Amino acid sequence: MKGLIGLFLILISQVSIAVEQAETIFKQLAPSLYQIRLIDKASGEKSSIGSGFQISSDGLIATNYHVISSFARHPEKYRIEYLDNKGNKALLTLKSIDVINDLALVKRETDAEMPFFEISQNIPTKGEELYSLGNPHDLGMIVVPGTYNGLKKESFNDRIHFTGSVNSGMSGGPVVNKETQVVGINVATSGNQIGFLVPHDKLLALISQYQKGALLTIEEQMENQLQANQKKLVATLLSSDWQLKKLGEGLIPTIDVPFIRCWGESNADKDDALIMLAVANCSLDENTYIAGNFFTGSLEMEYRFMQAKKLSDTKFYQLFQRQIARVMPGNKAGKDDVSEFECQHDIIMPEHQNINNKAVFCTRAYKDFADLYDVLYLGVSIDRHDQALLSHFTFAGVSQKSAQAFTKKFMESVSWK
């Protein structure tokens, strides 16, 4: 019993020390923390809120891109304001963005040098205690202790796994170590004390580019970043190992990279099913936010094997058509962002008279970003009128060259055993 009491007292002491450290850090850094507000000009009311932190003595502030994305896309409709720890408000100007890493630099007017956050030059150690600062649910600035757990393994673009509560409104706030140096930026949460941060080196890179004074508009920055990221992603996918796996009587490809995750299901246990159905889904576990409901950079691959059980050809065809009708784009971009899909239909009759193949390839163009497209591919192969193999993918925000190269490899990788 004495041992349990002693352990309890130690735990209470540790919690007390952590709370004291958090309070000290907050008091020290509060003058350099801001609530970032997007104001709808017509109504004069807040459209969205987030957090930000000063990174230079002359008023440069870091935040998330998604916090100010509506302004970046529609500056005529919105304005950006800050609210400081004393309740003062003023306008901010947007200086630079990194849409891939969800970062933005905004600037306030100053008439004297101001305190600012120092950005760390080192990576935290696994298990190191960190402190996340921000403005959750418009309740005022708070500090939340948490733990560094390294980079998220299932991410193409680096994200830090942070054990701590990153809540709505804390987006864009800094995460600091015990020396109050920034090691990450709040960006997302999965709940249950699982948060994700943008690594501090991404912010350092954005600051360096900004200081070089490159004369690019926000739109040009965004287009260049989207183009470079999709080129890097497709090159990584095409150079990786494509492994063939059995699905019913078919062979389907999966790509051996940690950021593509696959799941499967079937109705093999249903004796009364009219069709035996086996499904495999693989997808990129992230995407890039542009604005509103406009996301890009996603990849989804789906495979369906169907085998009829004592059905007529006509009935099998009808049920099969229902499966095809379920195919749709992975992202739900609107008509203001993308054009209508244009499709090419090809029917191939191989030498084997019992097999019919059909392929449909569709693209739609991004209206504001040159040579970026959403791509949808559907391949159907029917064997002996009682077996079918459906394969399709949707890829968002790729160039024509990248789309053609990926489609070619995908088509070549799907086959019957």
Side-chain angles (χ1 to χ4, degrees):
M1 181 63 74
K2 290 183 178 179
L4 289 175
I5 292 174
L7 178 61
F8 178 74
L9 292 175
I10 290 173
L11 291 174
I12 290 295
S13 176
Q14 290 175 339
V15 171
S16 178
I17 292 172
V19 171
E20 289 177 4
Q21 289 175 332
E23 290 177 349
T24 300
I25 287 173
F26 179 74
K27 290 178 181 178
Q28 180 180 346
L29 300 177
S32 304
L33 284 169
Y34 300 91
Q35 181 184 90
I36 308 298
R37 300 175 161 195
L38 208 61
I39 307 297
D40 178 83
K41 289 181 180 179
S43 67
E45 298 295 334
K46 289 179 290 185
S47 174
S48 64
I49 61 170
S51 302
F53 56 103
Q54 195 154 315
I55 54 176
S56 71
S57 61
D58 62 350
L60 194 64
I61 296 169
T63 187
N64 283 150
Y65 164 78
H66 76 256
V67 172
I68 55 81
S69 61
S70 293
F71 175 86
R73 298 280 288 158
H74 303 288
E76 73 286 352
K77 184 179 179 182
Y78 300 95
R79 65 176 184 267
I80 314 174
E81 292 182 353
Y82 71 80
L83 176 70
D84 67 16
N85 69 315
K86 294 182 179 179
N88 299 312
K89 303 176 188 176
L91 288 176
L92 292 167
T93 54
L94 178 59
K95 294 298 184 180
S96 190
I97 64 165
D98 178 351
V99 68
I100 303 301
N101 290 296
D102 203 348
L103 293 172
L105 300 178
V106 293
K107 199 169 188 296
R108 59 167 289 179
E109 294 296 326
T110 62
D111 52 13
E113 290 193 351
M114 302 184 64
F116 60 93
F117 280 79
E118 178 184 351
I119 302 174
S120 177
Q121 299 296 319
N122 301 311
I123 299 172
T125 58
K126 198 153 189 178
E128 181 176 342
E129 189 166 21
L130 303 176
Y131 302 89
S132 171
L133 297 96
N135 187 82
H137 304 290
D138 204 11
L139 297 174
M141 288 292 177
I142 66 167
V143 56
V144 177
T147 306
Y148 176 82
N149 291 288
L151 295 178
K152 181 185 176 187
K153 295 179 181 179
E154 300 83 12
S155 183
F156 178 68
N157 293 298
D158 292 342
R159 293 291 183 267
I160 293 171
H161 175 195
F162 173 74
T163 302
S165 298
V166 178
N167 296 305
S168 177
M170 295 181 74
S171 293
V175 179
V176 301
N177 56 25
K178 291 181 180 179
E179 287 72 42
T180 69
Q181 298 171 330
V182 176
V183 295
I185 302 91
N186 297 322
V187 71
T189 181
S190 291
N192 298 317
Q193 297 289 304
I194 298 175
F196 297 106
L197 320 174
V198 179
H200 69 284
D201 63 310
K202 309 299 182 184
L203 178 57
L204 287 171
L206 180 59
I207 294 170
S208 176
Q209 292 173 357
Y210 168 72
Q211 291 173 339
K212 290 177 182 177
L215 299 177
L216 293 177
T217 65
I218 295 300
E219 292 79 10
E220 290 170 337
Q221 288 183 55
M222 193 179 301
E223 182 170 322
N224 289 349
Q225 292 160 11
L226 291 172
Q227 287 279 9
N229 191 66
Q230 66 87 21
K231 185 177 181 180
K232 177 183 173 185
L233 173 60
V234 174
T236 300
L237 294 174
L238 293 179
S239 63
S240 298
D241 183 22
W242 286 48
Q243 300 176 347
L244 294 181
K245 295 188 176 181
K246 179 181 176 182
L247 185 71
E249 296 300 315
L251 292 174
I252 62 169
T254 60
I255 308 174
D256 187 21
V257 289
F259 52 87
I260 299 286
R261 306 179 73 180
C262 296
W263 309 91
E265 61 178 343
S266 75
N267 66 348
D269 60 329
K270 306 295 184 184
D271 294 332
D272 59 345
L274 296 176
I275 290 181
M276 193 286 283
L277 175 66
V279 181
N281 294 280
C282 300
S283 62
L284 176 65
D285 195 28
E286 63 186 272
N287 51 34
T288 299
Y289 175 82
I290 296 181
N293 293 320
F294 190 11
F295 292 80
T296 189
S298 60
L299 169 64
E300 299 177 55
M301 298 178 288
E302 182 180 57
Y303 312 97
R304 291 174 176 262
F305 174 78
M306 287 153 279
Q307 184 170 31
K309 293 184 177 182
K310 298 179 180 180
L311 284 178
S312 66
D313 291 353
T314 301
K315 188 64 175 178
F316 176 64
Y317 179 77
Q318 291 174 345
L319 293 175
F320 178 61
Q321 284 293 102
R322 293 178 191 173
Q323 297 293 325
I324 296 177
R326 296 179 181 178
V327 174
M328 61 183 61
N331 65 332
K332 304 296 191 296
K335 63 181 180 180
D336 293 335
D337 302 312
V338 294
S339 65
E340 295 291 332
F341 271 109
E342 295 184 3
C343 300
Q344 296 178 341
H345 298 255
D346 294 306
I347 298 178
I348 306 168
M349 299 291 291
E351 293 181 4
H352 194 316
Q353 63 180 0
N354 291 326
I355 297 178
N356 292 334
N357 292 320
K358 180 178 181 180
V360 181
F361 180 78
C362 305
T363 61
R364 63 183 181 187
Y366 284 21
K367 293 185 176 180
D368 292 335
F369 306 112
D371 196 30
L372 284 180
Y373 301 84
D374 287 343
V375 177
L376 185 153
Y377 168 84
L378 171 64
V380 178
S381 183
I382 303 176
D383 180 20
R384 299 190 305 274
H385 305 287
D386 63 353
Q387 292 186 131
L389 180 62
L390 181 152
S391 58
H392 92 91
F393 71 81
T394 61
F395 210 155
V398 292
S399 67
Q400 285 186 332
K401 183 178 179 180
S402 294
Q404 290 168 354
F406 186 87
T407 303
K408 182 176 184 294
K409 188 156 187 176
F410 185 88
M411 291 178 67
E412 292 173 347
S413 300
V414 180
S415 64
W416 292 92
K417 290 193 299 180

